[in-house]
Amino acid sequence: MLAEAVPTRGARSSRQPAQAPARPPLRLVDVVADEAERIPTGVPELDRVLGGGLVPASLVLVGGEPGVGKSTLLLTALGAISAQSGRGARRALLVTGEESVAQVKLRAARLGGCDGVEILAETELEAVCDTLERERPAVCVIDSVQTLWSQEIGSAPGSVSQVREAAARLLRVAKEAGVATFLVGHVTKDGSVAGPRVLEHLVDCVLQFEGDRYQAHRILRAVKNRFGSTNELGVFEMTGEGLVGVPDPSEVFGRTHAGEVGSAVACTLEGTRPLLLEIQSLVAPTDLAMPRRVGTGVDPKRLAMIVAVLARHAGLPLGAADVFVNVAGGVRIDEPGADLGIALAIASAAKGVPVREGLAAFGEVGLTGRLRAATQTERRLEECRKFGSTVVLGPDCETLRRALAAGLADSPG
Ligand code: TYD
Ligand code: MG
């Protein structure tokens, strides 16, 4: 009996070596949580995407293809953070594993305003964590998480296990030492590699930096944010002196050329931000048994649906035509409120007739061919008015009817 009992107890204690005493749960009302003051990054578009600045001791992953401008953006932010004087003065550290200190110095010279940024060229995880715990900067950038490696992990730098370990350790350091940390993570076109994807669940925020490296405009969006809304959009232009925020992207993306066939303006909503976007379309005859529906910046399923609705309910002969749709500026549309704009561009291309000048459209296209109300009609109308749209086309709803009555919108009849 006794001989049996002993090994049983032994086995149990070896499985759970240091059992923590069970703690009673708390009621939320008794939890004390003081919301820490956010750190302004000095880059307004970045602050907007973060939900109003950087939360102290948070871990933010910034993903994007090589060359999109991640290092430039974050060095600019570190520069601005370190340059704040008085009460706002904070230490900002760049851990570079990708570029040499000299390379960073050259970029900093180009950007200007980075004199106060501290830099550490290090790729060994333990050394990086030790430095952070000792120095405790307010903000730190790890460029990139894929270059970090831990001796304790057998695999090569950049492998899934190394990247996971690095992120997990840095998360702990960020919380314990109070260091708000940006992790730079590369993604390739197919989103693979031991990149940001494997870290998304772990970090507080995931920001995606998008845009064609051969074009000037860049889009920063939050795909996960524990401290704010997602789908907030930041727009930048890459210039000779670094990234410059574009406060009015509608001005840049929402303009069409008068009389051009296959072009329409959609008024979309990105997070809380209304945005006018030019949608371009080409409808070309094809001999393919399965005509192509190719969209850049629009969801392929959504595009196929809109084409089908146009063919079925608007009588457009799209069955023997390839349909291409392109959204201005490399923006990706996620919301159905842009449907009508897309439909108009396709209809214009199919008929060879330009859309009325100064027209902006929004509304969700339903399978029955009926237009459904888009969210936040007022915000959209406001944006259309701001950018001088003379005709606003939208689903019949109370808000729009009121706007019509007030002469703010016009019905094309
Ligand atoms: P970079 O920030 O190095 O991209 P990432 O870290 O995402 O790989 O910058 C990418 C490109 O931006 C690079 O090809 C050069 C260009 N660039 C400018 O056009 N102007 C500038 O002021 C800087 C710093 C870079
Ligand atoms: Mg870089």
Side-chain angles (χ1 to χ4, degrees):
M1 241 358 243
L2 197 68
E4 239 179 271
V6 172
T8 313
R9 215 183 292 141
R12 192 178 290 156
S13 68
S14 79
R15 235 180 289 137
Q16 299 167 331
Q19 204 176 37
R23 280 181 296 176
L26 290 174
R27 286 203 316 165
L28 271 177
V29 67
D30 301 323
V31 175
V32 191
D34 51 337
E35 187 160 349
E37 204 179 317
R38 292 189 182 229
I39 304 170
T41 62
V43 181
E45 297 288 303
L46 177 58
D47 284 346
R48 167 207 291 280
V49 176
L50 286 168
L54 183 60
V55 172
S58 61
L59 188 62
V60 179
L61 177 66
V62 180
E65 289 174 30
V68 73
K70 301 179 293 296
S71 304
T72 307
L73 174 71
L74 294 173
L75 182 58
T76 309
L78 286 182
I81 290 166
S82 67
Q84 284 157 11
S85 57
R87 225 175 60 83
R90 291 187 177 90
R91 287 181 70 187
L93 172 69
L94 171 64
V95 177
T96 173
E98 224 145 74
E99 295 170 44
S100 69
V101 173
Q103 279 173 308
V104 175
K105 168 95 188 177
L106 286 178
R107 174 182 291 127
R110 210 161 139 184
L111 300 177
C114 297
D115 291 349
V117 177
E118 296 166 65
I119 184 163
L120 173 75
E122 181 62 74
T123 54
E124 214 207 299
L125 182 59
E126 283 76 22
V128 171
C129 291
D130 287 350
T131 307
L132 289 179
E133 275 163 355
R134 195 181 60 235
E135 302 292 332
R136 299 184 176 238
V139 182
C140 164
V141 169
I142 309 284
D143 193 358
S144 65
V145 68
Q146 276 116 337
T147 58
L148 292 185
W149 63 282
S150 165
Q151 281 174 335
E152 289 162 24
I153 309 276
S155 55
S159 63
V160 173
S161 45
Q162 286 282 11
V163 167
R164 273 218 189 105
E165 173 72 9
R169 293 272 285 278
L170 286 165
L171 177 70
R172 215 152 50 223
V173 174
K175 305 289 170 204
E176 281 165 14
V179 183
T181 307
F182 285 103
L183 297 179
V184 174
H186 292 295
V187 271
T188 52
K189 273 252 187 287
D190 55 357
S192 66
V193 190
R197 295 250 79 128
V198 302
L199 305 180
E200 280 181 2
H201 66 283
L202 210 119
V203 301
D204 297 313
C205 303
V206 180
L207 308 187
Q208 237 167 50
F209 209 20
E210 299 167 353
D212 197 329
R213 60 188 291 184
Y214 302 108
Q215 279 181 359
H217 289 103
R218 303 283 192 272
I219 314 277
L220 184 70
R221 61 168 82 231
V223 289
K224 166 179 174 178
N225 193 349
R226 285 187 180 149
F227 314 114
S229 97
T230 54
N231 282 329
E232 277 302 341
L233 200 78
V235 182
F236 298 90
E237 187 178 353
M238 182 62 96
T239 70
E241 284 85 44
L243 289 159
V244 180
V246 178
D248 279 328
S250 291
E251 188 68 60
V252 183
F253 300 143
R255 297 269 173 243
T256 53
H257 295 279
E260 203 168 68
V261 167
S263 154
V265 175
C267 186
T268 69
L269 205 74
E270 289 289 342
T272 57
R273 188 180 210 178
L275 182 60
L276 296 182
L277 287 174
E278 185 197 358
I279 314 280
Q280 291 188 345
S281 176
L282 172 71
V283 173
T286 182
D287 294 329
L288 291 177
M290 289 268 289
R292 284 190 287 179
R293 279 80 181 90
V294 183
T296 310
V298 289
D299 175 38
K301 282 193 209 127
R302 201 93 214 146
L303 175 59
M305 191 274 280
I306 294 171
V307 169
V309 169
L310 283 174
R312 180 69 182 79
H313 297 290
L316 287 181
L318 298 171
D322 287 335
V323 177
F324 301 89
V325 170
N326 199 354
V327 180
V331 181
R332 207 186 56 223
I333 296 176
D334 287 330
E335 63 117 22
D339 287 356
L340 185 58
I342 298 170
L344 274 179
I346 297 172
S348 162
K351 293 188 155 184
V353 179
V355 174
R356 221 161 112 167
E357 207 183 326
L359 183 142
F362 59 83
E364 180 179 344
V365 170
L367 285 178
T368 58
R370 190 169 55 82
L371 266 188
R372 295 156 82 174
T375 53
Q376 313 224 29
T377 301
E378 257 148 43
R379 274 234 170 93
R380 294 183 208 246
L381 280 175
E382 179 61 38
E383 187 77 355
C384 294
R385 187 160 54 223
K386 194 164 134 201
F387 289 95
S389 306
T390 47
V391 188
V392 178
L393 198 59
D396 183 21
C397 70
E398 198 46 46
T399 322
L400 201 58
R401 245 181 269 146
R402 248 184 290 130
L404 269 174
L408 299 176
D410 184 16
S411 159

